Amino acid sequence: MEMDIVILLGGLAVGVGTLASAGYYFARYLIKTDDEKAIEQAREAAAIEAAKEVEKTPATVIPLRAEPAIVPEPPPTLDHTLRGTRDSFWGKIQKSLLGAGEIEGSQLETLEEILYTSDLGTTTVSRLLDSVESQLSRQEKKSLDVVKSSLKSEVEAILTSVPKMGRSPFENFATRTKPQVWMVVGVNGAGKTTTIGKLAHLAAQQGAKVLVAAGDTFRAAAQAQLRVWSERAQVEIFAPEGVTDPGAVAFDAVKMAAARGYDLVLIDTAGRLHTQENLMEELKKVKRVMQKLNPEAPHETLIVLDANSGQNALVQAQKFHDTLKLSGAIFTKMDGTAKGGVVLGLASQLQIPTVFLGVGESMDALTSFKPQEFAEALFH
Ligand SMILES: Nc1nc2c(ncn2[C@@H]2O[C@H](COP(=O)(O)OP(=O)(O)OP(=O)(O)O)[C@@H](O)[C@H]2O)c(=O)[nH]1
Ligand SMILES: [Mg+2]
């Protein structure tokens, strides 16, 4: 009995204790003192102010893909491309003769000196000098504008006197026999493979079915380089593994193109110096081998010349012309050279028509050569 009372009293004590502590916590958290209420209100107000500040700040948008938009660059204009050449030619003439009065004696010598250092070639220099010295009256020689227009007409006359100058090899393309075969030759690094890529692109854009043939069997990376260009231009490539004879590549490419209805075969060749007789002979052989299939092939034999090589380009062209009978020239790297005057040299000395100009490294950077436009840009 006593034991029961002890348990009962113990239970009561625990119950009262629990109630007391529950009451304390109720009073502590729900019934707040005035001080506590004031602190809480201040905190709330501060939080609202802070939220308003965040709202005022413009949101920073982080795009999912922060890649710059790809805007295709337009190919540079000829006027822009020729600025280096223009500065070293007409720019220099203008600077040294401005305000000189009548151009005679020492001024004529200065003019001659500038012309000789402009990579024009001796024949062109004589013609240009003559157009000022003998064809202008004393009065006319006093005007820089008259001198300019006389030089410009002479430049135009030199360029247009070459048969087929500025003719595009794509002229009447659709009506020509299939496949047209173009062989591209030149010294090492002139820009042959790049130019083939550009030509392939141009032809493909005009709807032609194009095959590029990896006739440079000499340089290890040559096939791979041409493959990259063929992918860019979205044209087919003929590049057999392990074939070391460029004649065999050209032959098989032309054969395949004829069988499969290609419109154009562009044959890349290994770079070689015009002085390497055996390698020049090799090119003759490539040509002969193709002619067994098609006596008219190659329909175009185009030399690629680096404009930076200046007068040496004329020596190269002469030798390649003697060996292969060139049908046209393409000057590359006209952008960023001061030696573009060599285009005139090629016309007046060798009568080889320039058909395209390379004006940059991209696929679109190939422009048709137009004599008037060239003369215009040279004297702008
Ligand atoms: N700026 C500029 N660079 C060019 C032009 N054409 C070609 N190039 C550059 O010239 C370099 C040589 O070009 P390639 O096409 O490999 O020359 P290649 O004649 O095939 O050379 P090989 O096969 O070694 O004889 C490359 O870096 C090209 O990008 C052009 O018109 N302008
Ligand atoms: Mg090459």
Side-chain angles (χ1 to χ4, degrees):
M1 181 61 193
E2 270 181 22
M3 193 60 177
D4 289 346
I5 291 167
V6 169
I7 290 168
L8 185 67
L9 286 175
L12 269 174
V14 169
V16 169
T18 308
L19 274 175
S21 56
Y24 171 78
Y25 283 108
F26 178 76
R28 178 71 190 82
Y29 289 101
L30 294 181
I31 304 166
K32 293 178 175 162
T33 63
D34 287 348
D35 282 352
E36 281 171 338
K37 277 184 194 161
I39 289 167
E40 202 160 284
Q41 275 168 5
R43 275 191 192 144
E44 216 168 282
I48 289 167
E49 281 311 307
K52 280 183 188 161
E53 277 308 310
V54 171
E55 256 173 40
K56 272 190 236 163
T57 318
T60 312
V61 179
I62 299 165
L64 279 178
R65 285 197 290 161
E67 293 161 6
I70 298 166
V71 181
E73 270 185 42
T77 60
L78 188 65
D79 193 63
H80 180 74
T81 300
L82 282 188
R83 66 199 187 285
T85 300
R86 182 168 56 238
D87 287 351
S88 78
F89 175 56
W90 175 243
K92 264 192 195 169
I93 297 174
Q94 200 175 16
K95 221 184 254 172
S96 59
L97 300 185
L98 201 66
E102 183 188 338
I103 297 168
E104 52 162 11
S106 67
Q107 277 98 40
L108 271 174
E109 273 169 33
T110 307
L111 178 63
E112 188 173 355
E113 209 178 294
I114 295 170
L115 293 176
Y116 270 117
T117 53
S118 299
D119 294 281
L120 302 162
T122 45
T123 326
T124 320
V125 173
S126 312
R127 283 187 64 170
L128 291 179
L129 264 181
D130 189 58
S131 76
V132 174
E133 203 176 350
S134 336
Q135 291 172 30
L136 296 185
S137 67
R138 289 193 69 168
Q139 193 57 31
E140 285 171 327
K141 278 185 208 162
K142 286 183 186 165
S143 159
L144 204 54
D145 275 345
V146 177
V147 171
K148 180 180 175 177
S149 65
S150 179
L151 287 172
K152 194 163 123 189
S153 340
E154 197 56 39
V155 163
E156 268 190 50
I158 290 169
L159 294 176
T160 49
S161 69
V162 179
K164 301 185 175 178
M165 188 63 142
R167 155 205 71 108
S168 164
F170 289 109
E171 251 169 44
N172 307 321
F173 194 70
T175 57
R176 295 202 210 160
T177 51
K178 277 192 201 180
Q180 285 288 299
V181 181
W182 298 1
M183 185 175 167
V184 178
V185 298
V187 301
N188 311 66
K192 296 177 291 299
T193 308
T194 307
T195 304
I196 285 187
K198 295 173 180 178
L199 287 169
H201 171 63
L202 210 58
Q205 271 186 325
Q206 296 183 11
K209 188 176 172 188
V210 183
L211 182 68
V212 293
D216 180 353
T217 54
F218 183 71
R219 205 161 53 84
Q223 266 199 10
Q225 190 193 358
L226 190 65
R227 195 173 292 282
V228 170
W229 276 107
S230 73
E231 280 162 14
R232 277 187 203 150
Q234 298 187 357
V235 301
E236 305 285 325
I237 178 168
F238 181 75
E241 288 295 324
V243 180
T244 52
D245 178 6
V249 175
F251 184 87
D252 286 347
V254 174
K255 198 166 154 193
M256 181 180 132
R260 301 195 186 168
Y262 281 86
D263 296 301
L264 175 65
V265 188
L266 293 166
I267 298 177
D268 195 12
T269 60
R272 67 204 69 216
L273 282 178
H274 50 291
T275 48
Q276 295 172 305
E277 293 294 340
N278 55 338
L279 295 181
M280 295 300 280
E281 278 304 310
E282 184 188 68
L283 284 180
K284 259 191 187 166
K285 191 184 146 208
V286 173
K287 208 171 159 174
R288 269 200 316 272
V289 166
M290 281 191 278
Q291 284 166 345
K292 285 186 185 156
L293 275 177
N294 182 344
E296 284 173 19
H299 302 83
E300 301 279 355
T301 304
L302 302 168
I303 188 168
V304 171
L305 298 163
D306 179 341
N308 292 297
S309 47
Q311 293 291 291
N312 193 256
L314 304 182
V315 183
Q316 293 165 23
Q318 178 74 71
K319 196 74 193 31
F320 275 90
H321 194 41
D322 292 346
T323 311
L324 297 167
K325 187 147 182 19
L326 301 169
S327 60
I330 298 172
F331 279 95
T332 59
K333 312 180 198 181
M334 291 301 291
D335 50 309
T337 186
K339 296 172 178 269
V342 66
V343 173
L344 286 170
L346 189 76
S348 60
Q349 262 167 250
L350 301 182
Q351 301 278 298
I352 295 172
T354 295
V355 287
F356 286 107
L357 299 177
V359 296
E361 292 184 86
S362 69
M363 195 156 62
D364 286 321
L366 186 73
T367 178
S368 292
F369 183 78
K370 298 188 187 80
Q372 272 89 3
E373 191 190 9
F374 188 85
E376 203 63 52
L378 213 51
F379 289 91
H380 175 83

